């Protein structure tokens, strides 16, 4: 086993419980607030949006939550996912570091998103819900939810950020193959969408706007609920299968990470990989540096403020305390659509605020340069989002070349880029630019964030 | 293990030898002929095209050929590939049959093609070749060769059938990510290409024409050879890792196939899956029906003739005895670009002629209907080529529902459809048509096939 390229697990080694980091943290995270009363949101406040089981998970302080058998059955279509040792990349970089990456692109939708789409649909189906609405940016989440709805026989209606809808028609096709119904957002089918289109018929949309449309539709329709692909506690909970498997896989080859890097948009891929390792760190069983990587064009953690803000643009969601650039902030159209979100998962924000994890921002040309190096060595063409994780892993490996340290680096390649090749085309033709965000742009959006006592 | 969804193997269970079916056949296959002398082609006749090691494999009568360690090292990036039991599809079809599919879409390029691209590049590198040329249709082969060239540091120049080049720009990008240089075919860079463009500037191209251009360039350039992604004996040889792994995987769950179905274009995916099972059948250790599935728009086996013909359109290759629709035949632009080839691998043609395998043709709308059913159950979106295999597996499973037989059906899902979603879009919008081929069209192309004694 000493010359392995990948570490596989058997189906019976899929974790049977999700891990909730909340009870292990030195301080509990601040509660979500009702946007009207500004009091801590109750289970009832969420009832129009989510099924009871997911609301319980959202608020849970249990350390472990059992994964239902029906969910495990679907997970088996692609899980456990492989953990690779990037030996060819190490050789190219001439580094003494070991680079491991957990690859979630083996799922049907091509990313980590089905890890939470499947249980979300399952719990809705259990409670008699017949239709789910959601938003999607690059399309990874929308296709994951459509796939999951096909597994449990639910309808699925998706608002896709208009810029992505137009730039990536094939993601829409993928959603339709699995039975999903897709609208560009802003859309003509909601009042909020129509109001935005009236001002700008070519509105590029944003995740925040698409969330407003999907939430509005769910609240207005019977037997319909909303599903969110990131940010919320229960989403990060479901994603911990990534980190739990990675822990088991590293243990099989006798490794513990010195550095863990993951890309952060809403925070679910990062939380899913990092939280089980954070548990081990807090328990003193290992001591990895844990680092978030975000795009310089949407630097939520490194340039945003830790404030109560809305999850969506219209201000329909509960207020969440998180790192935010302001809910009215519309990020530049960088290629990593999944990282174009104004906020950060409250749990990721909280552990960052507590100093338990670090954060850096990397410009997209450096990310794509790293991704092309990676693809030529390792074969897999990464999605634009995890190019950030790869670029950070390469930075770390090159630092090890300088210092001579034999660090073990762990990252997550959270999806493949098969439906994002236009971004590589732009990069290869030398037409990709780095979008630096001005302090003025951030200040303008922050001015609209509610000021709470 | 009784409720498994997929059967995985460890890296050390990758086969260490390729299987050559030739010595096990009741009759040897007819030799390839030099197009000038019409005498059996010698190793020297191939020397301008292929490295010595591959020519030896092309003509070998050894039953097993060792896989070099350097090739196994690259195979480990994705092999062994998983064998799935399609339990959800079985349930949807309400069939007593068991459906197994070997999934080759886990490779970096997304199909079985890297299984032969990697050894072909390795042997060329061993013999000091610095550049390879090739043709590609849908792009699976071109991207596989570009990936393999990146592994061993060779240049890669690719002629892509113009219709596909224009319809699928992202396959080109994928080839470029791995360092490949891509031309539409017919191209302005070869004399033959220019001659065709002079007659028709919008010429859609064909695999046969692209082969002519790539072969012409290889013969004319120093330290440059040509690589073919299907048809030839050494290509089918390399693909037998598919069948060998599947045999091992089925044995782990105590299954033997009653029916094996595979899609046939050039024949490499089919041969790779089927030949190890044919060995077992010829040795009396199992008795599966083995069936080729081809598109009704390019029915090489079911409507072509078993004749000596050229592998390319310009008539540059040796003459091969195979089922052919005529080397000047330009198939309709169906979506399964990889099945749009006028001929069939001589080895597949030979075993079909001997009655050891069967063949059927299926129209593309039935194939896509089956593929959408499959995707909604199993998650994976198949490439257009293996939709034919899936449709045939579904036919067989439905027949079992009628008869009550509990057959074990094995097929290969030789690639994913992430870069072929336009075809699904056309299908879902009800705009896909079935292209039946007229006897007159076949007769016209056959009239140009050389008449040999």
């Amino acid at each position: 086993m000493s010359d392995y390229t990948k570490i596989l697990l058997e189906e019976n080694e899929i974790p049977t419980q999700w891990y909730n980091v909340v009870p292990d943290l030195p301080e509990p995270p601040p509660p979500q607030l009702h946007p009207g009363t500004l009091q801590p949101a109750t289970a009832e406040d969420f009832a129009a949006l989510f099924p009871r089981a997911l609301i319980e998970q959202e608020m849970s302080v249990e350390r472990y939550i059992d994964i239902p058998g029906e969910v495990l059955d679907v997970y088996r279509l692609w899980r456990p996912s492989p953990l690779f040792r990037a030996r060819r990349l190490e050789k190219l970089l001439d580094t003494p570091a070991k680079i491991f990456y957990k690859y979630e692109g083996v799922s049907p939708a091509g990313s980590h998103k089905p890890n939470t789409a499947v249980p979300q649909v399952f719990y809705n189906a259990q409670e008699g819900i017949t239709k789910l609405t959601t938003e999607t940016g690059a399309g990874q989440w929308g296709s994951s939810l459509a796939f999951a709805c096909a597994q449990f026989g639910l309808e699925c209606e998706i608002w896709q950020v208009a810029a992505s809808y137009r730039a990536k028609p094939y993601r829409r096709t993928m959603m339709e193959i699995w039975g999903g119904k897709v609208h560009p957002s802003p859309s003509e089918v909601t009042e909020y969408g129509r109001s935005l289109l009236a001002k700008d018929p070519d509105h590029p949309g944003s995740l925040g706007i698409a969330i407003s449309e999907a939430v509005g539709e769910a609240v207005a329709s019977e037997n319909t609920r909303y599903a969110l692909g990131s940010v919320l506690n229960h989403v990060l909970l479901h994603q911990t299968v990534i980190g739990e498997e990675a822990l088991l896989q590293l243990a099989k080859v006798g490794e513990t990470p010195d550095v863990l890097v993951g890309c952060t948009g809403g925070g679910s891929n990062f939380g899913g990989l990092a939280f089980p390792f954070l548990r081990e760190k807090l328990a003193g069983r290992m001591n990895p540096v844990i680092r978030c990587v975000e795009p310089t064009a949407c630097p939520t953690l490194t340039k945003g403020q830790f404030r109560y803000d809305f999850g969506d643009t219209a201000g329909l969601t509960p207020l969440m305390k998180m790192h935010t650039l302001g809910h009215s902030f519309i990020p530049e159209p960088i290629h990593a659509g999944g990282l174009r979100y104004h906020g950060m998962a409250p749990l990721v924000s909280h552990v960052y605020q507590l100093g338990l994890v670090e954060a850096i921002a990397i410009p997209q040309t450096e990310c794509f340069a790293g991704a092309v190096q990676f693809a030529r060595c390792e074969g897999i063409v990464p999605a634009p989002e995890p190019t950030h994780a790869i670029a950070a892993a390469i930075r770390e490996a090159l630092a090890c070349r300088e210092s001579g340290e034999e660090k073990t680096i762990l990252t997550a390649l959270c999806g493949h880029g098969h439906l994002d090749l236009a971004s590589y085309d732009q990069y290869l033709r030398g037409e990709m630019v780095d979008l630096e965000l001005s302090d003025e742009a951030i200040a303008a959006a922050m001015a609209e964030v509610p000021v709470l006592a």
Side-chain angles (χ1 to χ4, degrees), chain A residues 25 27 38 126 140 147 179 189 209 214 228 230 256 286 296 309 354 378 416:
Chain A
L25 295 177
E27 287 177 29
L38 300 186
Q126 286 281 95
Q140 286 281 12
F147 156 71
V189 298
I209 292 167
L228 188 65
S230 193
T256 51
M286 56 177 69
T296 48
D309 196 5
L354 290 174
E378 300 292 318
H416 62 64

Side-chain angles (χ1 to χ4, degrees), chain A residues 19 24 64 244 247 274-288:
Chain A
Y19 168 62
D24 286 333
Y64 292 100
E244 295 288 12
L247 269 171
F275 286 171
F277 287 88
L278 182 56
R279 174 189 66 212
E280 300 302 303
K281 180 173 177 155
L282 291 167
R285 288 188 287 266
M286 56 177 69
N287 194 26

Side-chain angles (χ1 to χ4, degrees), chain A residues 391-452:
Chain A
I394 289 175
R395 278 190 185 185
E396 193 70 34
L398 291 176
C400 288
R401 182 170 72 187
E402 292 306 306
S403 68
E405 288 173 286
E406 297 179 12
K407 286 186 185 173
T408 296
I409 302 166
L410 172 65
T411 191
L413 184 49
C414 62
H416 62 64
H418 300 164
L419 298 183
D420 308 281
L421 292 169
S423 58
Y424 283 89
D425 191 50
Q426 196 188 50
Y427 172 74
L428 291 170
R429 292 188 196 300
E431 293 163 6
M432 183 178 280
V433 291
D434 288 324
L435 304 158
E436 283 292 337
L437 199 58
S438 71
D439 291 340
E440 292 71 30
I442 300 175
M446 289 306 297
E448 291 187 39
V449 176
V451 179
L452 302 189

Side-chain angles (χ1 to χ4, degrees), chain A residues 350-373:
Chain A
H350 182 60
V351 298
Y352 179 59
Q353 197 66 16
L354 290 174
L356 300 175
V357 306
E358 305 177 354
I360 58 171
I362 301 187
Q364 66 178 350
T365 54
E366 179 181 341
C367 296
F368 277 84
V372 168
Q373 279 191 312

